[in-house]
Amino acid sequence: MHRTRVIPGCILTLILIGWPLFAQVLDYQGQLSGWYSVNRSDRTLNLYGLRYIPSFAVEKMFSDNKAVNLEASFNGYRNGQFETLRNVDSEGEIKPYRLWIRFATARFEARLGLQKINFGSATLFRPLMWFDAIDPRDPLQITDGVYALLFRYYFMNNANFWIWGLYGNKHTRGWEVYETRKNSFEYGGRLQYPLSAGEIGFSFHQRQMSFNYMSFPQMKLNEEVSYENRFAVDGKWDVEIGFWFEGVLTHQDNPLLPFVWQRSATLGADYTFDIGNGLNVMSEYFILENSREALGKGEGLKFSAGSFSYPIGLLDRVEGIFYYDWENSEYYRFLNWRRTYDHWSFHLMAFLNPDKNRIYQNQAGNNLFAGKGVQLMIVLNH
């Protein structure tokens, strides 16, 4: 299967007009990756994939530390699965990965186009995963971008202020259950402020939701507009150990939904022990609840997570991520041995998980780590 994604015309026009203004291409990079996995859950599956991401970047510097940047990259992949060589199922796609233009000064930047927007302090479980879908077990950290206009201003005291507007992003992202209404506008903002030995942040976002008529036949889908409002606070400090938290309260204003409030929070810490080459250990506790009232009793997920990272010499590193699902009394286990050269990296991964994943459900490739199995990945960066 081959698909292409339509680029909003105004963004593409601006980039095509701006590209000839630059004297030369300053940077071209590419990432070629391939993987093969044997996955055993209710049956044994062989999974494979090949991906190439070429990236072009140009920059024009002006006086007074002003600059204009352009970046264009594309994600082309083919992956599939088979039980026997006579029954191979595969699909492929070529789509824009990043496509944006940016104007920046020493304290301000404005970026328009298909871009990655993420913030917050959590790593393994991110309530503030609003605009991406990154699985921390993925060595490549692949995630689709969003079409957006983003403004950021940086103050003298290291505080910074964000304002964003999104358009043309229909599919679910992060922890979303319902898609965004087609051709609707989203907006929000964020303030990060230094506090003691760390910083604290406040964020807001509003979008319009789209519902499946088969799930909600009583709704007049062409007439009703249902808004979702998200309010968040997060912070991070480094006092002997690293410590952080994220909390999000979400309200969905349609009374026909089974739950109209969602609460999610993560509390985490990390520390690097002076053992050998340095053993970094991280731990997070995550809770997600849906309820009829903002502070009422709810139902959802509760997870504990931990990770470690240890360098073995100059080329090798061993990493592990472990989860415990308190509601279903299930463990998730993941190990990765990585060897890195100048341009090449090799990953040998092993996992032992439940057959049905209940974490990172909106992330692409999440099912690669369902059940138990091993995966080999080879990556070339040039």
Side-chain angles (χ1 to χ4, degrees):
M1 179 175 62
H2 178 77
R3 296 176 294 172
T4 58
R5 178 174 297 180
V6 177
I7 306 170
C10 61
I11 296 174
L12 180 59
T13 301
L14 282 173
I15 292 178
L16 292 178
I17 292 175
W19 196 279
L21 299 178
F22 295 85
Q24 59 181 348
V25 175
L26 296 182
D27 190 27
Y28 165 70
Q29 298 179 358
Q31 183 183 80
L32 176 65
S33 58
W35 65 92
Y36 174 75
S37 177
V38 178
N39 184 316
R40 181 174 178 80
S41 51
D42 57 339
R43 56 195 175 123
T44 300
L45 283 178
N46 299 272
L47 302 101
Y48 64 92
L50 184 67
R51 184 192 310 273
Y52 185 60
I53 302 179
S55 178
F56 305 86
V58 294
E59 181 180 44
K60 178 69 174 181
M61 295 296 299
F62 300 94
S63 59
D64 301 326
N65 293 321
K66 295 183 177 65
V68 175
N69 306 82
L70 297 172
E71 180 177 321
S73 61
F74 299 88
N75 183 359
Y77 67 87
R78 167 71 59 176
N79 56 35
Q81 63 182 37
F82 62 91
E83 292 184 76
T84 67
L85 293 178
R86 295 182 179 180
N87 184 21
V88 178
D89 181 22
S90 68
E91 66 174 7
E93 185 174 6
I94 300 175
K95 61 183 179 179
Y97 188 61
R98 304 288 182 260
L99 190 61
W100 52 258
I101 182 170
R102 182 184 75 145
F103 171 75
T105 68
R107 300 190 182 280
F108 170 80
E109 70 169 313
R111 188 166 59 187
L112 173 67
L114 180 60
Q115 55 189 287
K116 176 182 175 182
I117 302 177
N118 66 345
F119 44 80
S121 308
T123 301
L124 303 178
F125 282 105
R126 299 168 46 223
L128 280 168
M129 185 169 56
W130 288 358
F131 308 120
D132 65 273
I134 296 176
D135 187 334
R137 298 170 297 182
D138 176 13
L140 303 181
Q141 298 291 278
I142 297 294
T143 182
D144 289 335
V146 290
Y147 292 102
L149 174 60
L150 172 67
F151 298 98
R152 282 192 288 203
Y153 185 82
Y154 302 87
F155 297 91
M156 289 287 291
N157 63 347
N158 291 326
N160 55 85
F161 183 65
W162 308 35
I163 298 178
W164 57 75
L166 281 68
Y167 184 81
N169 305 283
K170 181 178 183 293
H171 300 293
T172 56
R173 309 174 300 258
W175 302 102
E176 293 173 356
V177 176
Y178 307 109
E179 292 188 341
T180 299
R181 189 173 183 177
K182 187 177 180 179
N183 298 326
S184 66
F185 179 71
E186 309 172 59
Y187 68 90
R190 173 175 173 82
L191 173 65
Q192 289 182 203
Y193 197 84
L195 181 64
S196 185
E199 63 180 17
I200 192 167
F202 303 92
S203 306
F204 169 78
H205 184 71
Q206 183 185 89
R207 72 180 182 113
Q208 297 179 33
M209 296 180 295
S210 175
F211 300 100
N212 186 330
Y213 179 75
M214 299 299 295
S215 300
F216 302 96
Q218 67 272 44
M219 292 185 182
K220 298 178 181 179
L221 298 181
N222 293 327
E223 299 178 8
E224 289 195 11
V225 176
S226 299
Y227 289 94
E228 180 183 80
N229 294 295
R230 306 173 192 169
F231 307 88
V233 59
D234 66 283
K236 183 174 185 178
W237 293 269
D238 190 0
V239 183
E240 295 296 331
I241 65 172
F243 165 79
W244 59 87
F245 76 93
E246 290 184 11
V248 177
L249 181 64
T250 300
H251 180 246
Q252 299 170 338
D253 70 348
N254 193 310
L256 295 178
L257 295 175
F259 303 103
V260 295
W261 290 94
Q262 183 186 84
R263 303 181 297 269
S264 59
T266 290
L267 181 66
D270 75 336
Y271 185 75
T272 300
F273 292 91
D274 188 14
I275 300 175
N277 296 320
L279 173 65
N280 179 261
V281 177
M282 178 191 304
S283 179
E284 289 184 349
Y285 178 75
F286 171 74
I287 183 170
L288 185 149
E289 290 184 335
N290 298 289
S291 65
R292 294 294 302 175
E293 299 177 355
L295 301 178
K297 184 178 180 180
E299 58 182 62
L301 305 172
K302 293 180 182 178
F303 274 88
S304 292
S307 71
F308 75 88
S309 178
Y310 183 77
I312 304 174
L314 297 176
L315 302 179
D316 299 283
R317 178 178 291 270
V318 177
E319 302 164 322
I321 303 177
F322 308 95
Y323 306 91
Y324 182 70
D325 180 353
W326 291 93
E327 298 297 314
N328 297 284
S329 301
E330 293 179 326
Y331 289 94
Y332 295 73
R333 310 166 185 89
F334 173 82
L335 289 173
N336 179 22
W337 167 77
R338 179 178 68 193
R339 166 159 284 205
T340 305
Y341 298 97
D342 290 339
H343 299 287
W344 292 89
S345 63
F346 300 85
H347 302 264
L348 181 59
M349 294 165 275
F351 49 92
L352 180 59
N353 300 322
D355 292 344
K356 181 179 180 181
N357 266 312
R358 292 181 173 86
I359 54 176
Y360 313 132
Q361 295 183 14
N362 284 343
Q363 278 83 335
N366 179 52
N367 288 330
L368 289 174
F369 300 120
K372 55 182 177 290
V374 295
Q375 181 181 141
L376 174 65
M377 177 181 289
I378 302 175
V379 184
L380 170 63
N381 293 288
H382 67 85

